[in-house]
């Protein structure tokens, strides 16, 4: 029988590490488990984003920039909580992380979401497709920011393990 005594974040990290170890073509040497965890979490929150965008613009008839903004804020609040607790497993004070995250999200919002997403829609690309294109660009930016700027207290958590060190005799 499988041991289920670990916490949900521990199991999530272990699962991501197990999947990464099995990646083909030498990708396991390149892809960190936290990158896979980010992809899983943010795929889920991106689906939440698209659902809220569709609800706001497609169902309620809100203007597209308003719908994008509401969906974006809700999805990224969820993303922060899930990445902090499940993926990067941070225990640092949340205040500083939330400020760094908010700054990154603001940059991301104006550059990729409103800039690229709304721009592509204005050029005639269907709004869901423009949001998906913008989402791909933001994914690269946000993973880097989360890993190396926001959750700096978690070196090694969710990343490839360093080579084991030999214990020195006393």
């Amino acid at each position: 029988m499988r041991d289920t005594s670990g916490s949900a974040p521990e199991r999530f990290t272990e699962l991501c590490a197990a999947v990464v170890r099995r990646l083909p073509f030498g990708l396991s040497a390149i892809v960190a488990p936290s990158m896979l965890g980010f992809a899983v979490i943010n795929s889920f929150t991106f689906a939440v984003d698209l659902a809220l965008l569709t609800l706001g613009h497609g169902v309620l008839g809100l203007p597209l920039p308003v719908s994008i903004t509401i969906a974006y804020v809700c999805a990224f609040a969820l993303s922060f909580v899930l990445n902090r607790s499940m993926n990067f497993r941070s225990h640092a004070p949340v205040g500083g992380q939330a400020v760094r995250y908010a700054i990154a999200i603001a940059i991301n919002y104006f550059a990729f979401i409103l800039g690229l997403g709304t721009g592509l829609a204005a050029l005639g690309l269907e709004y869901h497709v423009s949001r998906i294109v913008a989402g791909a660009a933001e994914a690269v930016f946000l993973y880097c920011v989360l890993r190396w700027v926001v959750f700096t207290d978690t070196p090694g958590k969710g990343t490839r393990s360093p080579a084991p060190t030999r214990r020195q005799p006393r």
Side-chain angles (χ1 to χ4, degrees):
M1 184 175 256
R2 188 173 165 214
D3 177 21
T4 58
S5 61
S7 68
E10 289 169 345
R11 290 192 309 269
F12 183 78
T13 299
E14 290 167 6
L15 178 63
C16 289
V19 170
V20 166
R21 281 192 301 273
R22 290 171 179 78
L23 290 175
F25 313 116
L27 289 173
S28 61
I30 299 168
V31 176
S34 66
M35 186 180 292
L36 176 61
F38 175 84
V40 168
I41 288 169
N42 283 57
S43 293
F44 169 71
T45 59
F46 187 65
V48 169
D49 186 329
L50 286 177
L52 292 173
L53 172 62
T54 301
L55 177 66
H57 186 66
V59 176
L60 299 176
L62 297 173
L64 185 58
V66 172
S67 297
I68 288 173
T69 303
I70 291 169
Y72 182 79
V73 168
C74 292
F76 277 95
L78 180 59
S79 173
F80 176 80
V81 170
L82 292 176
N83 271 298
R84 183 181 199 289
S85 64
M86 300 291 289
N87 193 32
F88 295 100
R89 297 174 52 198
S90 176
H91 298 290
V94 72
Q97 290 177 338
V99 168
R100 291 189 301 271
Y101 186 74
I103 291 168
I105 292 303
I107 292 167
N108 181 65
Y109 175 76
F110 288 109
F112 298 111
I113 307 309
L114 280 186
L116 186 59
T118 304
L120 290 173
L123 292 173
L125 195 60
E126 200 273 333
Y127 73 95
H128 287 104
V129 176
S130 69
R131 182 63 187 93
I132 290 168
V133 171
E138 76 178 295
V140 173
F141 171 75
L142 284 177
Y143 175 74
C144 294
V145 168
L146 289 179
R147 183 168 179 189
W148 292 298
V149 178
V150 175
F151 301 119
T152 57
D153 71 310
T154 56
K157 287 212 190 261
T159 61
R160 287 182 303 282
S161 300
T165 56
R166 291 178 50 149
R167 195 166 176 202
Q168 298 296 323
R170 291 183 196 202

